[in-house]
């Protein structure tokens, strides 16, 4: 499974580079070892694939996009494809529990993985940024886990929610400086501020 995942990720990287002329500005700011959290805007099903393919090989295998279980894990076939191509962990948005978020936090603090998260909690239907949910704050407040902000440009044009086949438009990823929230307690007010 590990070899299949890496092969799929390399194939995706080649596809994005050739078909979409993917450019990553600030690649040196991307983490090479876990733990970390990449956060980005979310306008396309391509977003997690773009971010995962942009990571170094050493970080890629230990990186898990946190994906909508109610969409990407609703059948055996989509579950297998999601696990193979995305290495994704499901979270059921309508019934996410505190326990599920605490489990994710424990994995991060344990230092053996990185996550790709979309703080909006859903894909934008018009390409505009949606309000953020509080889950990211629950995961990182009071920890030294680096949170790396990214902006994905062009994914909405390439594959908006109403399309099945991507357009061959340019993709750009801008990577910001990592931010840590070790000085903030894991309480509701501080989680909301994150």
């Amino acid at each position: 499974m590990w070899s299949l995942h890496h092969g799929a990720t390399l194939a995706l990287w080649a596809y994005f580079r050739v078909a979409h002329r993917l450019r990553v500005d600030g690649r040196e700011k991307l983490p090479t070892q876990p733990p970390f959290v990449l956060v980005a805007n979310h306008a396309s099903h391509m977003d997690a694939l773009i971010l995962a393919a942009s990571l170094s090989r050493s970080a890629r295998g230990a990186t898990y996009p946190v994906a909508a279980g109610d969409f990407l894990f609703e059948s055996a076939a989509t579950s297998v494809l999601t696990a193979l191509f995305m290495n994704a962990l499901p979270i059921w948005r309508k019934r996410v529990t505190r326990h599920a978020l605490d489990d994710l936090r424990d994995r991060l603090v344990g230092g053996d993985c990185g996550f790709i998260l979309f703080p909006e909690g859903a894909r934008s239907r018009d390409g505009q940024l949606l309000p953020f949910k509080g889950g990211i704050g629950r995961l990182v407040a009071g920890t030294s886990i680096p949170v790396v902000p990214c902006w994905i440009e062009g994914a909405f044009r390439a594959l908006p929610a109403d399309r099945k086949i991507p357009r061959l438009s340019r993709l750009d990823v801008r990577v910001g400086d990592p931010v840590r929230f070790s000085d903030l307690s894991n309480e509701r007010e501080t989680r909301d501020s994150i």
Side-chain angles (χ1 to χ4, degrees):
M1 191 68 166
W2 182 87
S3 297
L4 287 173
H5 171 68
H6 278 287
T9 307
L10 289 172
L12 285 169
W13 173 250
Y15 165 74
F16 290 134
R17 289 286 293 168
V18 173
H20 296 280
R21 302 173 314 280
L22 175 63
R23 183 178 60 205
V24 180
D25 181 30
R27 181 184 299 277
E28 70 281 357
K29 298 175 187 176
L30 287 171
T32 58
Q33 296 294 325
F36 60 84
V37 178
L38 296 183
V39 294
N41 57 312
H42 194 25
S44 171
H45 277 310
M46 294 170 55
D47 295 334
L49 298 171
I50 293 165
L51 292 175
S54 300
L55 288 167
S56 68
R57 184 175 180 185
S58 60
R60 203 177 299 138
T63 302
Y64 302 91
V66 179
D70 50 311
F71 183 76
L72 294 172
F73 289 86
E74 61 185 7
S75 74
T78 58
S79 296
V80 168
L81 290 173
T82 301
L84 175 63
F85 285 104
M86 294 176 60
N87 207 27
L89 294 174
I91 194 159
W92 278 262
R93 295 175 292 188
K94 301 216 187 296
R95 53 190 163 116
V96 65
T97 64
R98 180 179 173 192
H99 179 68
L101 291 173
D102 289 343
D103 286 346
L104 291 175
R105 180 183 170 95
D106 289 345
R107 287 190 72 176
L108 268 178
V109 173
D112 63 346
C113 67
F115 291 145
I116 295 173
L117 292 172
F118 301 104
E120 299 162 273
R123 276 178 303 153
S124 171
R125 298 302 192 224
D126 61 5
Q128 299 300 309
L129 201 61
L130 299 171
F132 287 4
K133 306 287 185 193
I136 181 69
R138 183 178 291 279
L139 293 179
V140 300
T143 74
S144 61
I145 306 294
V147 178
V148 182
C150 302
W151 180 263
I152 303 169
E153 187 67 41
F156 180 75
R157 279 189 306 279
L159 189 65
D162 62 348
R163 284 188 65 90
K164 301 283 186 214
I165 299 173
R167 295 182 187 102
L168 300 181
S169 62
R170 180 175 186 87
L171 296 171
D172 290 292
V173 177
R174 290 192 302 273
V175 183
D177 293 321
V179 181
R180 289 176 172 79
F181 299 97
S182 55
D183 58 333
L184 296 178
S185 61
N186 193 6
E187 298 171 5
R188 183 178 193 88
E189 297 77 27
T190 54
R191 290 193 303 257
D192 289 345
S193 71
I194 292 173

